[in-house]
Amino acid sequence: MNPKEALERLREGNRQFAAGVLDSQLGSLVRREELTSGQAPIATIVSCSDSRVPSEFVFNQGLGDLFVIRVAGNVDAPAVVASAEFGVANLNIPLLIVVGHSNCGAVQAAIAHVKSDAEGVQNLAAILDHIAPVARDAYATYSSKNKYSLEETVERKNVQNVVNVLKTQSEVIAAAIQNQDVLVVGAHYSLETGVVDFFDGDAAD
Ligand SMILES: [Zn+2]
């Protein structure tokens, strides 16, 4: 499957999910047995740990279809980049998507942190350190003319930042992009509508 075909399959899967249709065969015993000898996922998904954003549901995909990397705030931590590299280099996955979402608690915490300049909770700092620079920049430049709320602007800019990191800070991924073996795309999921908005051009302004 090439990158565009994989993207189209995820778009179609999300259309089904948003309409309330889920394929009940995606976790079948037959499929489980088929997969014991290996995997060939069609997409790597970097997404938030939020319980309301499980990639297999959101894209109506089943066992063996998605290589999912979940971390609060879908941040660009080194282990996230390394996992994405593994998907490209070892599994030849043609599509790499970073999915942010509405009402993201990690983004809300980062905005609160920027507004109050308060000390973060120690462990949470490892997450906030990645989002706070994006939140600080968005907060400083935000105006009421922006297309999205401040919160959604940060959610989208955080995604775009992670996309940029994946594209530029991994030689493995950069080479695969050059060879048109992988497409890296940002996206934003709405809890309210169930729809994933794939970014074309500028994501957040
Ligand atoms: Zn979240």
Side-chain angles (χ1 to χ4, degrees):
M1 189 173 287
N2 71 39
K4 291 210 164 126
E5 288 166 345
L7 184 57
E8 192 40 52
R9 197 166 128 188
L10 294 196
R11 281 185 195 277
E12 178 55 29
N14 179 247
R15 276 193 283 270
Q16 293 162 344
F17 169 75
V21 180
L22 279 179
D23 185 341
S24 61
Q25 294 305 303
L26 294 172
S28 70
L29 183 58
V30 172
R31 186 70 181 128
R32 198 178 83 207
E33 286 172 350
E34 277 171 5
L35 286 164
T36 53
S37 56
Q39 60 170 327
I42 63 163
T44 299
I45 314 281
V46 177
S47 78
C48 185
S49 303
D50 194 300
S51 64
R52 300 164 294 180
V53 195
S55 294
E56 283 83 357
F57 280 79
V58 166
F59 295 108
N60 199 16
Q61 302 297 308
L63 285 179
D65 291 333
L66 302 178
F67 189 72
V68 182
I69 306 162
R70 291 182 78 169
V71 59
N74 41 271
V75 295
D76 57 333
V80 170
V81 178
S83 300
E85 278 185 344
F86 182 85
V88 169
N90 295 61
L91 299 173
N92 301 314
I93 301 173
L95 184 60
L96 172 52
I97 303 188
V98 182
V99 186
H101 68 98
S102 60
N103 299 8
C104 182
V107 166
Q108 289 165 349
I111 293 171
H113 178 68
V114 165
K115 281 183 173 172
S116 69
D117 228 15
E119 285 287 309
V121 181
Q122 195 180 7
N123 289 322
L124 194 59
I127 302 289
L128 293 186
D129 284 351
H130 290 273
I131 309 177
V134 175
R136 197 168 289 120
D137 179 58
Y139 186 52
T141 58
Y142 189 77
S143 91
S144 57
K145 290 187 189 130
N146 280 44
K147 184 172 174 186
Y148 303 106
S149 67
L150 174 63
E151 192 172 310
E152 185 163 351
T153 300
V154 177
E155 288 159 3
R156 287 170 174 268
K157 283 187 180 287
N158 178 48
V159 166
Q160 197 59 56
N161 179 53
V162 178
V163 166
N164 291 342
V165 167
L166 290 168
K167 280 180 166 177
T168 60
Q169 293 184 19
S170 160
E171 287 180 21
V172 169
I173 296 171
I177 293 169
Q178 190 76 29
N179 292 334
Q180 301 187 344
D181 289 334
V182 70
L183 187 64
V184 186
V185 179
H188 183 267
Y189 172 74
S190 164
L191 295 186
E192 294 80 6
T193 64
V195 172
V196 173
D197 176 25
F198 292 91
F199 296 171
D200 306 303
D202 202 339
D205 294 312

